[in-house]
Structures are given as structure tokens and as C-alpha cells.
Amino acid sequence: METGKAGKAAAGDAPAIEVRGLRKAFGELEVLRGIDFSVARGEVVCVIGPSGSGKSTLLRCVNLLEEPSAGRVTVAGTEVTDPDVDIDRVRRRIGMVFQAFNLFPHLTALENLTIAQRRVLRRDRAEAVRIARANLARVGLGDKAPAYPAQLSGGQQQRVAIARALSMDPELMLFDEPTSALDPELVGDVLAVMRGLARDGMTMLVVTHEMSFAREVADRVVFMDGGVIVEEGTPEQVVGAPRHERTRTFLARVLDPAGAGAGGADDGAHGGAAPARRPSAGGGPDAFGGRGRPS
């Protein structure tokens, strides 16, 4: 992580991501209620919080997969909420890794990495293949180039998805619960790749329930609940010694679910009646605010 921190100190310029007054509503449900924060170049920021807190919606607003109801989002100096913005051009600078791997099942791992390079970046086949092979090697899958997604484990598929994003030469990476759909024994390999990206100085905004990753890799941790940022700070401050009771309650449930009393606060927004759901690395694509519900 030292490389990333050095990069931030040297940059000293506009943030990689800047969010001001961000609001997002789905009908009558206001999921984001005035979010203000920024991510410096080379910084790793982990966003934690219960299901329904607005984490994934925030991430999707950064690259306009969700259109904000109000507020301003700026990425690398370009306001993506400007009605006249060329959003496709902005998105070429942003890599995003979802809960679901979203690989083309009829293409090999190598072809999954080359197709966007050739069609979007207009690279010739030889260059696209060279870059794809280099990134497969970077995530530890150099020998899996000819494999189809069905022949790969979930962890391997997610690493292919990360390599695909890297092949587009992004300036920053967004991760939306990249390990939530994986069996626990497969999580480590994906997190190891993300640690390597952090060491290389990649700007990363990560929605996660992996507290060990947040403690070890993040420069800053943001805790969200009920569509607002409750507190933020270093991992030592937010995860190690949280100031707010809501943060303490959430962390108790995540770090020691067996010890959390059944009568404790639920994992929804304040006062929510929905039953609490225990975070799990093996959750399906709808776990923790996946497709079909705001998070």
C-alpha cells in the first residue's frame, strides 16, 4: 500500500472521485440522502455497511449505471452528472467488477479479455492478446487463457473479470462486493489480487464485508447506513475503535455473528422491520444489495 500512498502525496491535484450532495430515490424510497465524499488518486477506500444502506447504489452512481436524483459526481476531473457528458468516454477510464462475474460463457478467458479492447479501444488483435495474456498472468491465471468460464471456479472467474477490467487500462477501479458470490475457500485468491493492485497504486473504491481486507489494505473506511455516511476514517478508527453506536453494532454482527444477540439491531436502515441477514461470502448475486434491490 506504500506505493499508493506515495502516489497520492505526489499527485496533490484533483481527486479521482468527488461526490457532492448525492441523492438517489427509487420511487418513494430515498436510498442515498446527501452523500459527500472524495477519493484521492492512488487511495483505497472501502465502503462497509448493512444491506440496504446504499453502498452499491453509491458505486453505480459513480459511473452513472444509476442516474442520481440530485447532486454532482466528478471522476478524474470530468463531471459525469453533466447532461452533456460523453459517459462512454468516461467509463473507459473506470474499471468495474461486479458481484456476478458477467463473463461471456461462449468465449474463452482470453477472448473475454480481448473483445472489449478490440471493439471499444480499437486495438489490433496482436496487441489485445498480448495485453490480455499479461493481465491473466497478473491475476495468476496465465495458464487458463483457453478455458471457458464453465471450466473455471468462481474465484477464477472473478479473477478473469478483474483481468478484463485491467485490460482496458483504467485509471481507477470500482469493486461491488467482488467476493460475496464465492465459496469461502475461494475468497483469498481474489483478495490477494486486489492487495496487489493496491500495492501498485491503483485507485480503488471497494464495497465489501471483508473486514480483514479493509483493515489491511484500505487507506480509509466509510461506514454507511440508511443512505448516509455515519462515519469515516482510517481502518484503525472505524473498524478498530468506532465512535458511533450503529457502527459498533454492525461490526459486532459481522465480526462475531454467533455472539451477536438475536434481539440486537437489524442490518437494515434504522428502525427497519426486515429480519437481519448475516453477511456471507457464499451469497448469491442478490446478496447485499445485488441486482433487484438497492444497497
Side-chain angles (χ1 to χ4, degrees):
M1 194 162 62
E2 287 78 4
T3 302
K5 290 181 176 179
K8 287 181 299 178
D13 51 4
I17 302 171
E18 186 171 22
V19 176
R20 292 289 175 260
L22 182 63
R23 293 181 176 271
K24 176 61 182 177
F26 296 94
E28 297 298 316
L29 177 63
E30 192 171 29
V31 178
L32 298 176
R33 300 188 291 129
I35 300 292
D36 293 287
F37 86 110
S38 61
V39 179
R41 296 177 189 272
E43 188 178 25
V44 179
V45 176
C46 286
V47 183
I48 64 173
S51 176
S53 61
K55 308 182 302 295
S56 293
T57 302
L58 169 61
L59 207 68
R60 293 170 67 86
C61 284
V62 169
N63 64 357
L64 225 62
L65 290 178
E66 295 288 356
E67 187 170 346
S69 304
R72 186 178 75 252
V73 178
T74 303
V75 175
T78 300
E79 185 185 342
V80 301
T81 43
D82 184 335
D84 297 324
V85 71
D86 183 348
I87 190 59
D88 291 331
R89 185 172 183 176
V90 176
R91 285 176 180 153
R92 291 173 198 160
R93 306 161 73 180
I94 305 171
M96 185 158 185
V97 178
F98 300 88
Q99 297 174 24
F101 319 127
N102 295 331
L103 300 178
F104 292 110
H106 64 291
L107 300 180
T108 66
L110 184 69
E111 291 166 340
N112 266 282
L113 268 64
T114 59
I115 185 170
Q117 293 187 67
R118 299 190 66 188
R119 294 190 178 183
V120 177
L121 301 182
R122 301 299 182 186
R123 288 174 177 157
D124 62 44
R125 185 180 185 281
E127 183 183 14
V129 168
R130 177 184 60 78
I131 291 171
R133 290 190 182 279
N135 281 305
L136 284 173
R138 185 177 184 182
V139 301
L141 296 175
D143 61 335
K144 298 297 183 181
Y148 288 89
Q151 298 171 316
L152 302 173
S153 70
Q156 290 171 332
Q157 290 185 61
Q158 191 62 294
R159 283 187 281 158
V160 170
I162 294 172
R164 177 180 57 187
L166 293 174
S167 294
M168 302 297 286
D169 296 330
E171 296 181 21
L172 61 102
M173 292 281 289
L174 309 178
F175 292 87
D176 185 10
E177 289 281 8
T179 61
S180 69
L182 302 180
D183 291 333
E185 65 269 23
L186 302 177
V187 168
D189 290 339
V190 174
L191 295 182
V193 170
M194 294 172 66
R195 288 186 185 96
L197 294 178
R199 286 193 299 269
D200 291 342
M202 175 64 74
T203 305
M204 297 165 60
L205 181 58
V206 184
V207 171
T208 185
H209 278 284
E210 300 289 344
M211 293 302 129
S212 61
F213 177 84
R215 281 179 181 269
E216 177 187 348
V217 179
D219 297 298
R220 189 155 44 96
V221 175
V222 174
F223 174 68
M224 290 184 63
D225 188 35
V228 300
I229 294 175
V230 177
E231 66 176 294
E232 62 179 305
T234 66
E236 293 79 11
Q237 292 169 332
V238 177
V239 181
R243 301 185 304 275
H244 292 265
E245 178 61 30
R246 181 64 186 105
T247 315
R248 292 192 289 269
T249 301
F250 169 78
L251 289 171
R253 297 185 66 87
V254 172
L255 298 174
D256 185 18
D266 64 55
D267 281 347
H270 291 296
R277 291 185 293 164
R278 181 180 303 172
S280 168
D286 193 45
F288 301 112
R291 293 170 296 177
R293 73 183 72 199
S295 174

